[in-house]
């Protein structure tokens, strides 16, 4: 992935009357990066995306797409953007083929380029069996795919996808996520969602928005490291439960040990100081007591825990 920034957002602010929907939002996205916008409904995700795409002007601040300002160089910036809003902009009386041809035409593509790219995007989005189908007869999941197809038709540098998996069935959610993940590298992708696992599955970095402000920007795993002063270790040991728990609890640096059954096996959840790697010492203790060590792994805070802790800190 290139370090060249395809998206540069600087102190972006949007007021609706006296209400600040977005306040001083700043971030960059590198070429080929998949960046997740995470936040509850009303956090400002859609407003930010609309300003990034030039759909609405900011009250203050700037957005640059591939070096072009979306306000002062609007057409040049928009040529480099593919946009899938939360409500997919489809003409339901057209066929998939005619809809894509129409979208290519209004983007200024010539007929040869439209034919070439239509074939490409139909294959990428797995729409081959629906090429001559009426758009209005497609399921919600295939409408989402068609929306993504029109967004990448003109080979944009940047893709902006607003809640692309909302309202579709679980199988199509998985397929759509795989499709979006595969678009990274070829395109810089901004994906908004309030579904926490989606960010972990698709995105390389996450921006967490809360009440119109950025409260964190990082990789999901690094957010956990920043927030946790402790490390958690999952342990499966064949031995007398109470004795195992006591022996581990007695190790210097171990703060707490809890245990419970998972699938008929006893699993210990060990909390340690993050400044020390306790795994070797725990393993040695288990072996010295003559017990069987079946599992030993570090676990990080889930994205849901991260989000809840960050938003609680902001609200306090």
């Amino acid at each position: 992935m290139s370090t060249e920034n395809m998206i540069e957002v600087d102190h972006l602010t949007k007021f609706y009357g006296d209400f600040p929907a977005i306040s001083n939002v700043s971030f960059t996205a590198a070429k080929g990066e998949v960046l997740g916008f995470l936040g509850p409904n009303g956090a400002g995700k859609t407003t930010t995306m609309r300003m990034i795409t030039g759909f609405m002007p900011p009250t203050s601040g700037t957005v640059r797409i591939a070096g072009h300002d979306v306000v002062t160089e609007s057409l040049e910036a928009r040529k480099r953007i593919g946009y899938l809003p939360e409500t997919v902009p489809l003409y339901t009386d057209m066929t998939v083929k005619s809809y894509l041809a129409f979208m290519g035409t209004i983007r200024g593509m010539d007929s040869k380029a439209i034919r070439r790219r239509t074939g490409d995007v139909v294959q990428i989005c797995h729409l081959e069996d629906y090429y001559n189908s009426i758009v209005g007869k497609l399921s919600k999941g295939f409408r989402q795919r068609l929306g993504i197809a029109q967004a990448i038709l003109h080979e944009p540098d940047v893709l902006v996808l607003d809640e692309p998996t909302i309202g579709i069935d679980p199988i199509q959610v998985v397929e759509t996520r795989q499709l979006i993940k595969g678009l990274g590298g070829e395109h810089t992708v901004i994906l908004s969602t309030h579904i926490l696992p989606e960010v972990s599955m698709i995105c390389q970095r996450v921006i967490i928005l809360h009440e119109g402000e950025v409260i964190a920007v990082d990789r999901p795993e690094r957010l956990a490291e920043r927030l946790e002063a402790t490390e958690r270790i999952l342990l499966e040991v064949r031995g007398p439960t109470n004795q195992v728990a006591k022996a581990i609890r007695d190790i210097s640096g171990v703060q707490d040990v809890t245990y419970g059954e998972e699938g008929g096996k006893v699993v210990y959840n060990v909390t340690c100081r993050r400044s020390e790697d306790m795994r070797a010492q725990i393993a040695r203790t288990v072996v010295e007591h003559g017990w069987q060590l079946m599992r030993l792994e570090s676990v990080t805070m889930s994205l849901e825990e991260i989000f809840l802790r960050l938003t609680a800190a902001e609200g306090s």
Side-chain angles (χ1 to χ4, degrees):
M1 185 175 69
S2 169
T3 56
E4 177 189 353
N5 286 328
M6 296 304 299
I7 303 171
E8 297 170 286
V9 176
D10 187 37
H11 293 95
L12 200 62
T13 298
K14 181 67 176 180
F15 278 87
Y16 294 122
D18 294 329
F19 174 72
I22 290 293
S23 299
N24 291 314
V25 169
S26 297
F27 64 89
T28 60
K31 185 175 182 180
E33 185 174 16
V34 181
L35 185 66
F37 259 30
L38 178 63
N41 291 330
K45 304 185 301 296
T46 293
T47 297
T48 303
M49 295 181 120
R50 286 176 175 174
M51 289 188 287
I52 289 171
T53 58
F55 184 82
M56 69 165 60
T59 302
S60 62
T62 60
V63 179
R64 298 182 72 83
I65 304 295
H68 299 280
D69 188 290
V70 297
V71 175
T72 61
E73 303 171 272
S74 179
L75 288 178
E76 287 301 316
R78 292 185 197 201
K79 286 177 184 177
R80 292 161 174 82
I81 297 172
Y83 181 32
L84 178 67
E86 190 173 346
T87 302
V88 185
L90 300 176
Y91 293 96
T92 55
D93 56 342
M94 289 183 170
T95 63
V96 168
K97 177 182 178 180
S98 61
Y99 171 74
L100 290 173
F102 171 70
M103 295 303 292
T105 301
I106 64 174
R107 286 195 171 108
M109 299 170 65
D110 62 39
S111 58
K112 184 177 179 181
I114 290 172
R115 284 194 301 272
R116 175 180 63 83
R117 280 299 292 166
T118 296
D120 291 344
V121 301
V122 163
Q123 188 172 25
I124 291 167
C125 298
H126 305 294
L127 290 165
E128 298 95 332
D129 293 341
Y130 302 91
Y131 191 51
N132 292 305
S133 298
I134 299 295
V135 172
K137 294 184 178 180
L138 297 179
S139 69
K140 180 74 186 297
F142 280 99
R143 291 188 188 200
Q144 291 293 97
R145 292 189 193 192
L146 182 56
I148 294 172
Q150 65 80 24
I152 64 175
L153 184 66
H154 57 303
E155 300 179 90
D157 295 313
V158 172
L159 274 178
V160 179
L161 311 176
D162 193 359
E163 301 275 9
T165 61
I166 195 167
I168 59 179
D169 69 55
I171 294 174
Q172 291 174 331
V173 166
V174 172
E175 293 172 346
T176 303
R177 286 173 180 168
Q178 291 172 341
L179 168 60
I180 293 167
K181 191 171 183 179
L183 294 172
E186 292 294 319
H187 311 270
T188 300
V189 181
I190 291 186
L191 163 80
S192 84
T193 183
H194 63 277
I195 303 169
L196 294 162
E198 199 150 77
V199 175
S200 299
M201 293 175 188
I202 300 176
C203 303
Q204 295 154 347
R205 275 195 308 145
V206 55
I207 295 174
I208 298 180
L209 282 176
H210 181 59
E211 296 181 352
E213 296 185 1
V214 173
I215 57 174
V217 183
D218 215 329
R219 293 181 179 273
E221 64 272 18
R222 288 184 60 185
L223 284 171
E225 291 173 8
R226 284 166 48 186
L227 286 173
E228 284 189 313
T230 59
E231 178 181 20
R232 287 178 293 171
I233 295 172
L234 288 183
L235 192 67
E236 185 186 324
V237 177
R238 287 183 181 171
T241 305
N242 290 334
Q243 292 180 40
V244 172
K246 183 181 183 305
I248 296 168
R249 198 176 283 119
D250 287 343
I251 298 171
S252 176
V254 171
Q255 295 178 334
D256 190 29
V257 179
T258 59
Y259 54 85
E261 280 200 11
E262 287 184 14
K265 302 172 183 176
V266 178
V267 175
Y268 301 83
N269 195 324
V270 184
T271 304
C272 314
R273 289 193 295 266
R274 180 168 283 282
S275 57
E276 303 175 44
D277 189 342
M278 304 298 299
R279 289 174 296 177
Q281 198 168 346
I282 290 170
R284 187 163 54 248
T285 298
V286 171
V287 172
E288 286 174 353
H289 280 79
W291 303 320
Q292 288 183 294
L293 180 61
M294 309 304 294
R295 175 186 176 193
L296 177 67
E297 63 175 298
S298 294
V299 292
T300 57
M301 188 186 299
S302 71
L303 195 55
E304 184 171 6
E305 291 173 299
I306 294 168
F307 180 74
L308 291 172
R309 188 175 294 190
L310 283 167
T311 52
E314 286 294 310
S316 61

